[in-house]
Amino acid sequence: MRDLKVISRTSTAKYKSKPDNLKKVAQELGVSTILEGSVQKAGDKVRVNVQLIKAVSDSHLWAETFDRKLTDIFSVESEVAKAIADRLQAKLTGAEEQVIAAKPTDNTEAYDAYLRGLAYSLKTANTTANALSAQKYLREAVRLDPKFALAWALLSYVEARAYRTEFLQPTAALREEARQASETALALQPNLGEAVLAKGFYHYACLRDYDTAVRYFEQARPLLPNSSRIPESLAYVTRKQGQWDRSESYFNEAERLDPRNVSLLTQHALSYKDRRLFPEASQKLEQILNITPDDVDTIVEKAVIAQAEGDLPRASALLAPLHIEANDSNALETQVYQAILERRPAPMIPRLVDILAKPDPALGYTNGELRFWLGWAQEVSGDHTAAQESWRKARQELESFLKEHSEDHVLLGHLALTNAGLGDKVAAFRLAEQAMAAVPIDKDAVSGPTSIEILARVAAQLGEPDRAIAALQKLMTIPYSGALGPGAPVTPALLRLDPMFDRLRSDPRFEQLVAYPSPNGN
């Protein structure tokens, strides 16, 4: 409804069912009126109680009870929306009335699967586990109802996002499924804002066609006037284009519409981290933890920032209590990196050996990445022979994916580091340069520089100090997403601590790079 500012359910869902202080809730959400409701189900019947409350005075504006059959639940949504618009004197356009009256699906099981997929898509962090679960439920939703346009749109969005972030293996088949899902949604409902948005997100995430993506996002804006997804998506595009200040403006706009959306807040925090604005990132992460206390992925990001600031005791205190599953590879790699930075990686080695003894096929080449980390941990712990064996196995596993992922800069980067560990200078530099060509900075300001960091790491280990230092000097002047796991961009503190740069320590140019204080003054 264009006449009303409506806060997304992603922000309101985190409140308990009956908040104690509605005035405080209204202030946190930036609204003046709150809708409360409850649903009671008995057999095939439901009773829906709703009331509209003026927050500042805690006074009731309107209340009603609806008794319906479960199959009529969507008609209740339509009636409630119209009643609220009338009470708040908001004018509905003809198109808005059509949207309110439309049922997303007649299949309640499909809608239940859609809601489960939606819940996983809105978790704080993009992880393999969350992406797989969201994809599974949304595939089930469209299987149960092939004409469920909203589910097709979200399936495309989830798969395109996972393709870009590589939390699902970024294969041609996944990219094609994301394309087909968005086009199916549009064919079913050409004016469905979520479908238009999904098509734009496919162009952004899968094709890196930013201009076309922006056109779709702007086309979707009037169809989704209260959706934070539009400015959020524009924040992602402008971030990729290196327009960091403009991206920040879009993030702020999105948060005004959806102030407690933890997925959105997490991405905003990651932008601050990429820009090395660590206090701002930490503040945003604390905001998330106030909404979802003890969230593992958020705690891991706090630890990453502590590492970047050189505060290893604080990072250790955050990471040590966490019980991380094998399919949360980013969090696991952060724990391993912590042990490597501390120069005490031995305790992590049995954990990695145990995981790799029974690798999960769904993780694809992530298993090869973990084997690279095992080799690095073994090398730092002094077991050179075991490290070489782990790296040989890692190279074999990672190379098996090259045919299908020849342009995957993450895969190429880990292969480059693995070959560097094995002393294969020619292959390591070739792969690092392939990674740089696959995602150049002028096409992706966030991920493009990660391959330059890979090059710096390869050169540092293989006796090419000039190339290593030139790459590091460039990296220290630009924002970007770190090359290792969910890591931060290189900082003076990380350069001081990371064993991969040990061979540069006697070079005055390297000493100059690490001489600057970290953000926390260490």
Side-chain angles (χ1 to χ4, degrees), residues 36-51 63-77 79-80:
E36 279 190 336
S38 64
V39 179
Q40 296 171 300
K41 179 176 174 289
D44 65 343
K45 295 181 179 179
V46 291
R47 168 166 288 186
V48 180
N49 295 297
V50 289
Q51 53 185 342
E64 195 161 334
T65 298
F66 300 85
D67 291 308
R68 296 287 188 278
K69 287 190 174 182
L70 190 60
T71 52
D72 294 331
I73 192 67
F74 295 119
S75 65
V76 177
E77 290 184 6
E79 289 179 58
V80 170

Side-chain angles (χ1 to χ4, degrees), residues 392-468:
R392 278 192 289 270
K393 289 181 179 178
R395 178 166 63 182
Q396 184 179 10
E397 290 179 25
L398 292 169
E399 283 180 344
S400 70
F401 288 90
L402 261 184
K403 184 176 180 181
E404 196 170 5
H405 301 268
S406 60
E407 297 295 308
D408 186 332
H409 73 288
V410 175
L411 173 61
L412 291 166
H414 279 85
L415 258 174
L417 292 174
T418 301
N419 278 280
L422 291 168
D424 190 338
K425 190 171 184 176
V426 173
F429 277 113
R430 173 176 52 81
L431 288 159
E433 287 163 1
Q434 275 184 251
M436 290 168 62
V439 185
I441 292 182
D442 60 350
K443 294 289 186 182
D444 189 332
V446 180
S447 300
T450 62
S451 298
I452 299 177
E453 183 182 327
I454 295 294
L455 178 69
R457 290 177 175 277
V458 167
Q461 295 176 87
L462 295 177
E464 296 279 355
D466 291 348
R467 294 184 76 176

